[in-house]
Amino acid sequence: LKGGGAEEEPSNILDRALRIVPEEIIGISPLQVATTTNNANKSSEPNSLVRAKTFIDLPFEASVGYDAFVDLPRQPSWSPFLQKVVFLDKKKMNSGWTMNMLGVKFGWTAKFTTRNRRRKIIAWESTSGTWNTGSVQFIPLDAAHANSNSKKEQSRQSCMLVEVKAEAPRAVAALFDKSTALQSFFENVLIKGALRGFRKVVQKEDISIHQKAT
């Protein structure tokens, strides 16, 4: 940590984060994350803008993923750094978010800019507080990309595409000596960790309910 006393190395920060978010959730070991971060630390140019563009294959239908993700108050169940998410209006277009990242608590309000169930696309942008914007799309996978030999199971697989940009609060950015270390943490721990958590939670809690409903 910057300030009085010795500065904390980025790898130690990430190890501490991995004690909060278990390895089985984010799917990456402390050694892998620390190595990724240390290799990224090549620039000392300060920059608190972080971004991620990634995807994850899901063992359930695109509609199941969409319905789970758009239910915003559920977000903390697969993103441990999130403390609370609430809808702020009856139409559920505006929301309030509270996050605690490595001891730094901050928040923002946001609105849906796209919420299209037919196309399985969700997009948002912040309206106050910590600036961020992003989109999520759930795409059905064709049989050529499915892992199962069963046509029924093949039709139940999808891909989740995510793109997020955010301005890290100063207190969070101050935890990292290099902007590339902050970027690596954002992409590999925060975003990819949340995606793996999402897959695990929805697979456990939503698939059987959806099957009964259909």
Side-chain angles (χ1 to χ4, degrees):
L1 294 176
K2 294 185 176 180
E7 294 182 353
E8 185 174 2
E9 294 296 326
S11 59
N12 293 334
I13 294 172
L14 292 166
D15 287 346
R16 179 151 57 91
L18 286 161
R19 289 195 292 272
I20 300 172
V21 187
E23 179 181 338
E24 61 268 20
I25 296 295
I26 70 169
I28 186 169
S29 70
L31 178 60
Q32 287 173 305
V33 177
T35 300
T36 300
T37 304
N38 290 335
N39 289 339
N41 287 343
K42 297 179 180 179
S43 172
S44 60
E45 180 181 355
N47 186 359
S48 57
L49 180 66
V50 287
R51 63 188 69 199
K53 187 175 183 179
T54 187
F55 72 93
I56 189 170
D57 288 338
L58 303 173
F60 41 81
E61 292 178 354
S63 59
V64 175
Y66 176 92
D67 290 342
F69 193 90
V70 81
D71 188 3
L72 299 184
R74 294 185 62 188
Q75 295 279 334
S77 68
W78 53 73
S79 183
F81 292 104
L82 279 172
Q83 288 191 318
K84 188 177 183 180
V85 182
V86 296
F87 283 118
L88 301 177
D89 60 330
K90 292 182 179 180
K91 293 184 178 181
K92 298 183 177 181
M93 291 296 294
N94 298 280
S95 53
W97 301 66
T98 304
M99 177 172 280
N100 189 324
M101 188 180 297
L102 305 178
V104 179
K105 189 174 181 179
F106 56 97
W108 65 92
T109 60
K111 66 177 181 180
F112 284 122
T113 55
T114 301
R115 191 175 59 181
N116 190 318
R117 193 177 190 278
R118 182 179 64 83
R119 297 176 59 198
K120 310 297 185 293
I121 298 177
I122 303 162
W124 70 91
E125 63 181 11
S126 60
T127 54
S128 68
T130 302
W131 178 85
N132 69 93
T133 183
S135 64
V136 175
Q137 184 174 11
F138 296 90
I139 303 174
L141 297 179
D142 59 36
H145 294 87
N147 296 320
S148 173
N149 292 324
S150 166
K151 291 184 178 180
K152 181 178 180 180
E153 291 303 313
Q154 288 172 352
S155 67
R156 293 183 182 277
Q157 294 193 358
S158 60
C159 179
M160 180 181 184
L161 304 179
V162 179
E163 185 169 6
V164 184
K165 297 179 182 179
E167 186 76 22
R170 291 182 179 179
V172 172
L175 296 172
F176 300 86
D177 288 338
K178 306 278 194 326
S179 61
T180 45
L182 174 62
Q183 168 62 36
S184 181
F185 178 88
F186 178 77
E187 183 175 2
N188 293 307
V189 178
L190 188 64
I191 300 301
K192 291 184 178 179
L195 295 191
R196 294 185 178 97
F198 176 81
R199 179 172 61 188
K200 184 175 182 179
V201 169
V202 176
Q203 186 174 11
K204 180 180 179 181
E205 298 181 1
D206 294 58
I207 293 180
S208 60
I209 296 176
H210 182 77
Q211 289 174 340
K212 289 179 181 178
T214 56

